[in-house]
Amino acid sequence: MRLTIAIDGPAAAGKGTLSRALAEAFGLAHLDTGLIYRAAGRRTLDGTPALEAAQSLTAADLEADDLRTPDVARAASVVAAIPDVRAALVDFQRAFARRQGGAVLDGRDIGTVICPEAEVKFFVTASDDVRAERRFIELRDGGHDVTLGQVLADLRERDARDSARAAAPLKPAEDAVVLDTSGMDINAVVAAAIALVTDRTGIAPVA
Ligand code: C5P
């Protein structure tokens, strides 16, 4: 089966939840490409130069348990603005996108750069306040000592850097379906997305 679903959007918009749900519904592999940039950013915090960090990533780096911290998110967005770092990570993501059996990838440039030929593209977004609130709850529940104001400021700073960079900036592909999840229940978002994938591709969900 040839099916790639590309999901892009700013931080904490609901991309991860939607990606996992679509992967399960259609029996597809899932790659959270943010984790790759987080793993590279994480290594720079230990003093590894950014390009070397990207070129020498291993599967174990993607499984580190401290990739979800605000410091790592910031470091990820700094290394992600470096064109050579992005170039070093393209082949792996493209191969994953076109793997036999189909795939869902979520990130910032999946529909625009990594897989412009994806059969279905979503751009998932939500208001700054809604996204900050969701991320705040996640971080707080994970035991991080943060305030809502800090989380909002961090998200805005990261989105601004991700959108303004010259290399693969965060923006919707021209043919992406934009889903604003601000006032929507996540189950409704998932149901709408599943229906749209089936409508576009003729492929019915398996789960
Ligand atoms: O999605 P997540 O918030 O984990 O991504 C962390 C950072 O990695 C983003 O802020 C962005 O700078 C970078 N990123 C990227 N391109 C992707 C995925 C993530 O530039 N495809």
Side-chain angles (χ1 to χ4, degrees):
M1 174 177 52
R2 216 32 164 168
L3 173 59
T4 309
I5 302 177
I7 303 188
D8 293 304
K15 300 186 300 290
T17 309
L18 179 61
S19 306
R20 285 187 295 275
L22 287 176
E24 193 182 338
F26 291 96
L28 307 170
H30 170 226
L31 179 64
D32 169 0
T33 64
L35 268 192
I36 302 173
Y37 289 94
R38 283 174 183 261
R42 162 82 185 69
R43 297 195 64 199
T44 65
L45 296 177
D46 292 340
T48 308
L51 184 56
E52 191 185 320
Q55 285 169 335
S56 60
L57 281 184
T58 64
D61 290 315
L62 300 187
E63 283 159 18
D65 55 13
D66 59 352
L67 296 180
R68 296 281 172 205
T69 67
D71 286 351
V72 170
R74 195 173 308 114
S77 125
V78 170
V79 301
I82 303 170
D84 285 350
V85 165
R86 305 196 72 82
L89 301 172
V90 162
D91 286 351
F92 171 73
Q93 295 176 81
R94 287 204 174 131
F96 193 98
R98 290 324 242 171
R99 81 206 318 250
Q100 194 66 33
V104 182
L105 284 82
D106 70 281
R108 303 292 187 289
D109 62 341
I110 308 304
T112 50
V113 173
I114 299 299
C115 199
E117 73 280 19
E119 283 72 20
V120 190
K121 301 177 187 178
F122 293 105
F123 190 85
V124 186
T125 187
S127 71
D128 291 4
D129 287 340
V130 166
R131 293 186 298 115
E133 174 95 32
R134 287 181 191 157
R135 184 51 50 91
F136 170 68
I137 292 168
E138 261 171 44
L139 288 168
R140 193 197 54 197
D141 291 353
H144 295 282
D145 185 19
V146 287
T147 65
L148 182 58
Q150 266 167 4
V151 174
L152 179 62
D154 277 358
L155 281 188
R156 284 187 170 147
E157 183 196 317
R158 197 144 65 88
D159 290 343
R161 194 184 295 117
D162 291 348
S163 304
R165 71 186 177 213
L170 166 66
K171 64 170 183 197
E174 275 176 19
D175 51 350
V177 176
V178 177
L179 293 176
D180 187 330
T181 67
S182 303
M184 274 175 95
D185 172 62
I186 190 63
N187 295 323
V189 175
V190 168
I194 290 176
L196 197 131
V197 171
T198 298
D199 195 46
R200 288 276 170 96
T201 64
I203 299 172
V206 293

